[in-house]
Amino acid sequence: DGGITQSPKYLFRKEGQNVTLSCEQNLNHDAMYWYRQDPGQGLRLIYYSQIVNDFQKGDIAEGYSVSREKKESFPLTVTSAQKNPTAFYLCASSIRAGGAGTGELFFGEGSRLTVL
Amino acid sequence: SQKIEQNSEALNIQEGKTATLTCNYTNYSPAYLQWYRQDPGRGPVFLLLIRENEKEKRKERLKVTFDTTLKQSLFHITASQPADSATYLCALHTGGFKTIFGAGTRLFVKA
């Protein structure tokens, strides 16, 4: 079955550590996204990528980094510079990049990061 | 500033009734408005989208309306069931790379 796989489901981090969240898709989608979800707030865009080897900052990119070396993969690193990293992180993809298409997003099951 | 507002209070209804959720937005001109369902601890799942030139869209027991003058969308679930209990997210897609999400409304359907 096609879909998006995020791992790990739960992750604990000590202060000062970097952690990397994995996101893999087998939908052959061009665009991939990382969102952060906090209670009582809408999903906020961290980074997005339209094509391999290209990515753009979203609204809250500070303290995060990404790479897009393969079409299927878009890992997110939460660095020690992110001051409030405890959140639910969602990876998503869409068929096309750019203005074409309806923007329908396909989401993974999320990764919950807790800072100890 | 640009905002999407969904009722932050949970909606409690009886099984069989129609649930109506509201999404209001300001300072956007969305090309599409989307609705997603999210269960606790899981990723959102796309349900329906409606285009700016459409007034109403239906899919099985779901109906969405879109009033670009009022800047409002209503999402209806008819003949609601306990399995419909979830958080429903409204999202605006302006045709670029960004989809902007509301915080969601939690729906509880009692048997």
Side-chain angles (χ1 to χ4, degrees):
Chain A
D1 286 332
I4 298 182
T5 301
Q6 288 187 241
S7 63
K9 178 77 173 169
Y10 299 96
L11 187 60
F12 298 90
R13 187 192 99 173
K14 293 181 181 177
E15 287 195 21
Q17 284 183 335
N18 294 353
V19 293
T20 297
L21 308 181
S22 169
C23 178
E24 302 279 330
Q25 56 105 353
N26 60 3
L27 299 167
N28 199 31
H29 285 175
D30 289 327
M32 297 187 74
Y33 311 79
W34 275 103
Y35 284 89
R36 170 180 171 142
Q37 187 173 36
D38 295 282
Q41 295 192 44
L43 277 67
R44 292 183 291 168
L45 183 63
I46 304 172
Y47 268 98
Y48 63 96
S49 170
Q50 306 164 51
I51 56 172
V52 174
N53 292 323
D54 182 68
F55 47 83
Q56 307 295 329
K57 291 182 179 179
D59 299 317
I60 55 165
E62 185 176 350
Y64 300 97
S65 66
V66 293
S67 63
R68 185 93 185 269
E69 297 176 2
K70 298 186 300 182
K71 186 175 185 177
E72 304 80 21
S73 180
F74 192 41
L76 173 74
T77 297
V78 185
T79 75
S80 57
Q82 170 48 238
K83 296 307 176 192
N84 185 22
T86 295
F88 190 50
Y89 290 88
L90 288 159
C91 179
S93 68
S94 62
I95 292 174
R96 294 186 190 87
T102 61
E104 175 187 343
L105 293 171
F106 295 76
F107 284 90
E109 291 291 5
S111 294
R112 186 166 298 280
L113 172 63
T114 302
V115 173
L116 302 174
Chain B
S1 63
Q2 299 172 325
K3 284 196 302 186
I4 302 176
E5 291 184 345
Q6 295 186 255
N7 194 338
S8 59
E9 291 184 14
L11 179 62
N12 291 279
I13 65 167
Q14 199 68 33
E15 182 177 12
K17 300 293 186 185
T18 296
T20 299
L21 286 69
T22 304
C23 175
N24 295 297
Y25 61 93
T26 58
N27 297 333
Y28 287 114
S29 295
Y32 309 98
L33 190 144
Q34 305 167 347
W35 284 89
Y36 291 79
R37 169 184 172 138
Q38 186 175 24
D39 291 289
R42 306 196 67 176
V45 175
F46 173 80
L47 295 174
L48 274 175
L49 78 84
I50 187 164
R51 292 173 169 78
E52 59 181 338
N53 60 351
E54 296 176 319
K55 292 273 193 266
E56 183 179 298
K57 202 77 164 289
R58 291 174 186 262
K59 179 182 176 183
E60 298 173 350
R61 293 185 296 111
L62 308 180
K63 184 177 88 170
V64 173
T65 63
F66 193 12
D67 188 326
T68 55
T69 301
L70 291 179
K71 295 186 180 295
Q72 181 181 79
S73 174
L74 299 179
F75 177 79
H76 306 272
I77 305 176
T78 59
S80 59
Q81 305 166 359
D84 295 326
S85 298
T87 296
Y88 291 87
L89 308 177
C90 167
L92 303 180
H93 183 64
T94 58
F97 295 103
K98 287 189 182 180
T99 299
I100 314 297
F101 285 84
T105 298
R106 188 78 193 268
L107 172 66
F108 293 97
V109 181
K110 274 197 326 185

